[in-house]
Amino acid sequence: MTTDSRSRFTLIDILRVLGGVLLLNAFFSWWFTSTPTWGYRGKWMDTNYLKYRALGNDVNMTLSELSQYDGTDKKLPIYLAIDGEVFDVSASANIYGPGGAYHDLSGKDASRVFVTGCFRKKDEYTYDMRGLDEKEVNEDITSWKEFFHNHKKYWHVGVVQHEPITGDPPEPCEHIKFPGMHH
Ligand code: HEM
Ligand SMILES: *[C@@H]1O[C@H](CO)[C@@H](O)[C@H](O)[C@H]1NC(C)=O
C-alpha cells in the first residue's frame, strides 16, 4: 500500500458504507416496529402506486368499464368514483371488496349516497344530484373527495365519463351523516 491510496474512497467503499447503514436501519426498524420502514405502510410502499406515479397515465373510463373494478375480479384494482373522479381504494378490499361494508360504493360513481347516506335505497347509488340541497352537496362532496385524495393508502387515478341523466330523480330520503367527517 502506498501512502497515496490511504485516504482515497472508491465508489465501492461508499456503496459499502451506504449499504451497511441501510441494512442497519432496516434491522433496527424491524426490531422496533416489525416492518423495515419504521411502521410506514402507506401508498409509497405500494408497487401499483409507484407504477402509477412513474407512468402517470390517468384513466378516462366509461361507467361500464368502471363497473368491472368493484373487487369481484381479484386481478383488477378496486375503484370508486365521486363527482366523476376515480380513486384506487384497493388497499381496503375488506371495506370495498365483495362482502365489505361499503362494497356498494365501488365500481361506480355513487356521489348521491355520499351526501344522503341512504345506503339501503338502491337508486341512491348514482351521480344524479337533482333535488338535493346545493350547499349540502358541495360541502359533502368536497370533503369526501379530500378524504380520498389525502388518504395515505388511496390515490386519484383519473376520471369517469358521466352519461346523461334520464328519467325521474330518486325520491327524497332521510339523510344520515357520518359523525366526524362533516362540519
Ligand atoms: C352519509 C353518511 C355516510 C357515508 C357517506 C359513509 C361512508 C363511509 C365510507 C366511504 C367509509 C370507508 C372509509 C375508508 O375508506 O376507510 C366509512 C367507514 C365507516 N363508517 Fe360510514 N358513512 C356514513 C355514515 C356512517 C354512520 C352514520 C355510521 C355509524 C353507524 C358509520 C360507520 C362507519 C364505520 C364504523 C366505518 C369504519 C369501517 C371500517 O374501517 O371497517 N358510517 N363510511
Ligand atoms: C375523456 O374522454 C372523453 C371522450 O373521449 C373526452 O371528451 C374527455 O375530454 C376526456 N377527459 C379527460 C379528462 O381526458
Side-chain angles (χ1 to χ4, degrees), residues 101-155:
Y102 290 98
H103 176 54
D104 288 339
L105 294 177
S106 62
K108 58 177 81 75
D109 187 332
S111 293
R112 189 184 181 93
V113 81
F114 278 97
V115 177
T116 65
C118 303
F119 295 106
R120 298 250 167 89
K121 203 160 151 280
K122 292 244 161 20
D123 63 353
E124 292 291 307
Y125 294 83
T126 172
Y127 48 88
D128 181 353
M129 310 304 258
R130 288 177 298 168
L132 301 179
D133 178 71
E134 200 175 326
K135 184 165 170 286
E136 185 186 11
V137 168
N138 285 338
E139 282 178 5
D140 292 2
I141 295 297
T142 302
S143 100
W144 278 107
K145 279 201 286 193
E146 274 169 15
F147 171 80
F148 289 106
H149 257 295
N150 302 334
H151 196 279
K152 69 182 200 290
K153 293 186 176 185
Y154 309 152
W155 64 94

Side-chain angles (χ1 to χ4, degrees), residues 19-133:
V21 169
L22 288 176
L23 208 67
L24 209 64
N25 176 58
F27 174 79
F28 278 112
S29 171
W30 195 274
W31 186 266
F32 290 118
T33 69
S34 300
T35 72
T37 52
W38 296 104
Y40 178 75
R41 294 174 189 278
K43 57 193 166 196
W44 288 100
M45 294 290 296
D46 187 329
T47 51
N48 288 323
Y49 180 62
L50 296 177
K51 223 174 284 170
Y52 167 78
R53 293 293 302 214
L55 301 176
N57 35 12
D58 283 14
V59 300
N60 183 353
M61 349 179 83
T62 61
L63 289 168
S64 98
E65 281 166 344
L66 180 59
S67 71
Q68 297 180 272
Y69 294 80
D70 71 346
T72 312
D73 185 342
K74 297 278 181 278
K75 294 188 292 294
L76 296 177
I78 306 178
Y79 292 162
L80 65 73
I82 178 158
D83 189 27
E85 307 290 340
V86 182
F87 297 92
D88 188 317
V89 294
S90 308
S92 296
N94 56 327
I95 299 176
Y96 298 106
Y102 290 98
H103 176 54
D104 288 339
L105 294 177
S106 62
K108 58 177 81 75
D109 187 332
S111 293
R112 189 184 181 93
V113 81
F114 278 97
V115 177
T116 65
C118 303
F119 295 106
R120 298 250 167 89
K121 203 160 151 280
K122 292 244 161 20
D123 63 353
E124 292 291 307
Y125 294 83
T126 172
Y127 48 88
D128 181 353
M129 310 304 258
R130 288 177 298 168
L132 301 179
D133 178 71

